[in-house]
Amino acid sequence: MNFFAALRSAWRSLAANTLRSFLTMLGIIIGVAAVITMIAVGRGATDRVQEQMKGLGSNIMLVLPGGVSQAGVRLGAQTRQRLTEEDATAIALEIPEVQVAAPTSRTTGQLVYGNTNWGSTIIGVNNDFLEARDWPLAAGRLFDAGELAGSAKVAWIGSTVARELFGDQDPVEQMIRVRNIPMTVIGVLAPKGQNSMGQDQDDVVMVPLGTLRNRIWGGDATSRLKRVGSISVKVREGQDMRQVEVAIRDLLRQRFKAQDGAEDPFVVRNLTEILQAQEESSRVMTLLLAAVAGISLGVGGIGIMNIMLVSVTERTREIGLRMAVGARGRDILAQFLIEAVTLSLLGGAIGVALGALATWAVGQFGGWQVALSADSVLLAVGFSALVGVFFGYYPARRAASLLPIEALRHE
């Protein structure tokens, strides 16, 4: 009995009990579909976190002002505006592991071009900000030294602002009004996408720090002290982020003359670690869900073994007849093993289709980012085949070990 004859025999046997065969495959179908869907959702979440990490830039830390307390009530982070441009300069110069330290401040306002207006975020920056955030210009040029020092009326705009204000026009060298202050667009930022909070990073206009302080805010004591809202610190490749974080804390505590044991008057956030923790948690959740799906495959395998044992009992006389006319034990073993594997593979194929449909539905209607890959499909189908071999071997072995005389006597 060759392989194809055994396959035809197995197929006829399964087709003779269609409903029972389908119910037997149900566990495999659900397990394979669950494995594919969970892996796709998990990889989509991981890809999303990696995109957010790229959006932030590599090896990034954020230094924010600390909080203040009034009458025993702590008002939270960023309620004490003490960071200055000089702090950013000190971090860049005194900590060798730091590549750049870019001070920034931000506000919001209305942008106007012709008859079109758009509300956006306005950020005061210098050229180091683009290096810190790995954010190149898609068109235009950087601020020159005179524009930075002289609070020039120039700006970079994000791709969302460019689309909303200019449509298909080239924004470079065009004049816009930022809070009713005319400014020349000298650059368009490359698209960055959403951040980890779902905010559009491209909905932004960037101006020199001095321009934000002196022209948009109007200039005050805070402007004279060159206060800033945050400092983006980019650490050189290969450096220990934790050691650099400690060095930044020590330096700023010295500059702020913080007493021993007192709280830091600032906050240092390692954004890369935060996103890596998110990635690790999504990976753990994916493994957990895949384990649950694997249990479903195991349950499906037990169903296959159960139904194959029933099949051996029902077909005992057929087995005895085959042995009586010359079939060997390995032929009977191969026949029942092929039946079990066929059940698993057929269930796996249906599960793949169902898993692909479920993955599409999750991405389409749930709004989740999913990533269906060929290796997850092969993994699920391969595992279902192994389930068929593992759980089908015992019934097949039992059928092959029957004695012809006892099998023919079976009622």
Side-chain angles (χ1 to χ4, degrees):
M1 188 178 190
N2 61 32
F3 173 77
F4 294 103
L7 189 60
R8 286 195 301 270
S9 176
W11 184 258
R12 284 196 299 267
S13 175
L14 296 176
N17 298 281
T18 306
L19 181 60
R20 188 172 74 177
S21 299
F22 176 76
L23 292 176
T24 303
M25 292 186 296
L26 198 56
I28 298 295
I29 292 171
I30 294 172
V32 169
V35 167
I36 290 175
T37 305
M38 292 305 102
I39 291 178
V41 170
R43 285 191 173 178
T46 301
D47 292 345
R48 178 62 179 159
V49 172
Q50 289 175 348
E51 288 175 8
Q52 292 171 358
M53 291 177 71
K54 290 179 182 177
L56 284 174
S58 60
N59 301 335
I60 287 292
M61 291 185 188
L62 193 63
V63 183
L64 300 169
V68 297
S69 298
Q70 292 181 358
V73 178
R74 301 176 68 190
L75 300 182
Q78 302 185 59
T79 53
R80 176 187 293 170
Q81 297 296 329
R82 291 190 59 185
L83 292 176
T84 65
E85 287 188 54
E86 286 75 14
D87 294 325
T89 302
I91 291 172
L93 293 179
E94 298 184 31
I95 302 177
E97 295 84 0
V98 170
Q99 184 171 331
V100 290
T104 61
S105 292
R106 65 178 59 211
T107 184
T108 58
Q110 205 71 13
L111 314 177
V112 179
Y113 173 72
N115 296 323
T116 307
N117 68 88
W118 181 255
S120 185
T121 301
I122 306 166
I123 306 180
V125 299
N126 57 24
N127 293 327
D128 288 339
F129 181 78
L130 299 186
E131 184 178 354
R133 293 288 306 277
D134 294 333
W135 199 342
L137 291 174
R141 63 175 178 83
L142 300 176
F143 300 133
D144 62 34
E147 290 167 341
L148 291 170
S151 303
K153 293 186 283 187
V154 292
W156 301 322
I157 59 174
S159 58
T160 298
V161 174
R163 182 182 67 247
E164 296 296 335
L165 289 184
F166 296 94
D168 295 330
Q169 298 182 52
D170 182 6
V172 179
E173 299 303 328
Q174 299 293 330
M175 187 75 70
I176 63 173
R177 298 184 71 84
V178 180
R179 281 194 177 181
N180 288 324
I181 299 170
M183 295 194 183
T184 303
V185 176
I186 64 168
V188 179
L189 297 159
K192 201 73 167 173
Q194 293 183 347
N195 62 15
S196 58
M197 303 298 294
Q199 298 170 331
D200 185 3
Q201 297 181 92
D202 300 316
D203 188 4
V204 66
V205 56
M206 297 185 186
V207 300
L209 267 167
T211 304
L212 177 67
R213 280 196 300 262
N214 300 323
R215 297 187 184 275
I216 296 178
W217 284 342
D220 54 16
T222 299
S223 298
R224 289 192 295 274
L225 293 171
K226 295 186 177 181
R227 300 288 194 202
V228 295
S230 64
I231 300 173
S232 298
V233 180
K234 182 179 179 67
V235 180
R236 299 184 190 277
E237 289 292 335
Q239 301 299 324
D240 190 324
M241 297 285 285
R242 291 186 180 277
Q243 290 184 4
V244 176
E245 182 178 347
V246 171
I248 292 173
R249 289 184 186 278
D250 291 342
L251 174 62
L252 291 181
R253 286 184 67 85
Q254 291 175 12
R255 290 183 61 82
F256 291 162
K257 297 180 174 58
Q259 296 181 356
D260 293 340
E263 278 191 21
D264 292 338
F266 53 85
V267 177
V268 181
R269 292 180 180 169
N270 190 336
L271 302 183
T272 305
E273 282 190 358
I274 293 172
L275 290 178
Q276 285 174 345
Q278 291 180 4
E279 183 178 12
E280 184 62 27
S281 64
S282 67
R283 186 182 295 111
V284 170
M285 184 59 66
T286 301
L287 291 175
L288 177 61
L289 295 174
V292 173
I295 292 172
S296 179
L297 280 174
V299 172
I302 293 172
I304 288 177
M305 183 169 66
N306 184 46
I307 208 66
M308 292 304 297
L309 287 171
V310 172
S311 179
V312 169
T313 303
E314 289 179 345
R315 296 160 61 188
T316 302
R317 287 179 61 85
E318 175 192 336
I319 294 168
L321 185 59
R322 286 178 180 273
M323 287 183 169
V325 297
R328 293 163 297 182
R330 64 183 183 184
D331 297 326
I332 303 300
L333 178 68
Q335 178 187 351
F336 281 89
L337 200 56
I338 288 172
E339 286 186 23
V341 174
T342 301
L343 273 174
S344 294
L345 288 178
L346 190 57
I350 298 173
V352 167
L354 187 62
L357 181 62
T359 298
W360 175 83
V362 168
Q364 189 74 16
F365 301 110
W368 293 10
Q369 183 168 331
V370 293
L372 182 62
S373 59
D375 56 346
S376 65
V377 173
L378 292 175
L379 174 66
V381 173
F383 193 67
S384 67
L386 288 176
V387 165
V389 172
F390 182 79
F391 288 98
Y393 180 78
Y394 175 71
R397 187 66 185 170
R398 182 174 177 180
S401 63
L402 289 173
L403 296 175
I405 298 299
E406 293 181 358
L408 288 170
R409 287 177 180 175
H410 184 78
E411 295 294 335

